[in-house]
Amino acid sequence: MNVTSGSAQLATESHGDGEPSVLLVHAGVTDQRSWRHVVDRLPDHRCLTYDQRGYGRTTYEHQDGWSGVEDAVAVLDAYDVDSAVVVACSMGGRVALHLALTHPERVRALVLIAPAITGGPGHVYEPEVQALSDASDAAWERGDLDEVNRLDARVWLDGPLAPDGRVDGEARELFLEMNRIAIEAEEPGDQDDDVDAWPRLGEITVPTLLMIGDLDLQYLQEYVAHAASAIPNARLVELPGVAHLPHLEADERTLAEITAFVSAL
């Protein structure tokens, strides 16, 4: 169903039944379809997925001051969920962290895959990664969206230092489809989620599972290691042989860790 939040009609889906409920928040290069393998592993839990503004089937008007946190709250409210286990990746991890800090009563536990953490230190890319970033910027400038999409898959799906095309088949096709929608989407407006999570990680007290692929960007690996040490009730799982989106490529270790963590609650 569509859920109204400000000027947006958020495309949402509900899967399964049972407690605790699970809210899944996608990365900035995918949409809610990226969670299909996770949802399949949690049939005894009510799993809520949705497309954020600028992604998938969600529609919206330009709105300055919109909030990713309030969009997430709107989804929980629409399904009468008081609190949920929030499973999130990358940009979705930023929403999850901000939700935990500003609405702690709505978060029962966190599963964070390579989360974006606001307020953290700056970073410098390795030369090979910087070259990919420069190539993507150049492709944007000349309007070559196919090349932008290809390079995004190279960085976020394969891993920037892994072989080009490491992940193929259905997972790659779906990534390119989801990310192309995001690339072509209209800007939803200036976002108002003014939270610096980095210095406040110690305030998060719910059980937290942090995961990071060893093929992901180096600075993200360092960020996640810091978060695991700063969040009091956190556990870190390092995932061999995968990059930024291990759930999309149906990595068995990732799916097993999420399933065990949620089931134990």
Side-chain angles (χ1 to χ4, degrees):
M1 73 176 179
N2 287 341
V3 171
T4 300
S5 181
S7 71
Q9 291 292 310
L10 304 172
T12 76
E13 294 182 6
S14 177
H15 312 262
D17 193 23
E19 293 296 328
S21 295
V22 180
L23 177 70
L24 300 108
V25 192
H26 65 77
V29 286
T30 63
D31 59 40
Q32 64 180 309
R33 290 174 289 174
S34 62
W35 294 117
R36 56 189 179 157
H37 299 300
V38 176
V39 169
D40 287 346
R41 296 289 283 263
L42 298 172
D44 297 328
H45 299 271
R46 188 180 201 183
C47 292
L48 306 178
T49 63
Y50 70 102
D51 293 328
Q52 299 186 70
R53 301 186 196 212
Y55 300 88
R57 294 180 287 109
T58 284
T59 60
Y60 50 91
E61 300 293 333
H62 184 95
Q63 178 188 347
D64 289 332
W66 70 276
S67 165
V69 169
E70 294 310 313
D71 285 354
V73 169
V75 175
L76 293 174
D77 287 346
Y79 287 96
D80 296 320
V81 174
D82 292 330
S83 68
V85 180
V86 183
V87 179
C89 178
S90 192
M91 180 189 75
R94 178 181 65 197
V95 173
L97 287 167
H98 292 187
L99 180 64
L101 289 167
T102 60
H103 299 274
E105 74 283 357
R106 308 305 298 265
V107 179
R108 181 166 178 178
L110 290 168
V111 177
L112 303 173
I113 304 170
I117 308 175
T118 54
H123 60 272
V124 177
Y125 289 137
E126 301 91 330
E128 301 93 335
V129 179
Q130 186 61 55
L132 291 172
S133 178
D134 292 343
S136 181
D137 290 345
W140 268 111
E141 287 295 322
R142 64 177 183 270
D144 188 349
L145 300 187
D146 288 339
E147 180 67 359
V148 172
N149 205 9
R150 186 190 73 80
L151 289 167
D152 281 350
R154 176 82 170 81
V155 172
W156 302 114
L157 186 62
D158 296 328
L161 302 181
D164 192 0
R166 180 187 66 81
V167 180
D168 59 8
E170 188 177 0
R172 195 174 201 85
E173 291 174 5
L174 181 57
F175 175 92
L176 293 171
E177 179 181 334
M178 293 186 292
N179 192 49
R180 184 64 185 235
I181 293 171
I183 289 172
E184 295 180 345
E186 296 290 334
E187 288 293 330
D190 293 333
Q191 190 172 356
D192 183 19
D193 282 323
D194 189 18
V195 179
D196 281 342
W198 186 272
R200 298 181 59 189
L201 292 172
E203 299 176 27
I204 298 172
T205 59
V206 296
T208 301
L209 174 63
L210 285 152
M211 294 191 285
I212 187 74
D214 68 358
L215 301 180
D216 208 342
L217 292 165
Q218 182 60 40
Y219 86 88
L220 287 175
Q221 297 184 47
E222 295 167 0
Y223 274 25
V224 170
H226 170 78
S229 66
I231 298 173
N233 197 12
R235 179 169 67 91
L236 173 61
V237 174
E238 297 173 329
L239 303 166
V242 294
H244 199 63
L245 306 165
H247 53 293
L248 177 58
E249 57 180 292
D251 176 64
E252 179 56 32
R253 175 74 184 278
T254 302
L255 300 178
E257 289 284 356
I258 295 173
T259 303
F261 179 83
V262 174
S263 297
L265 296 169

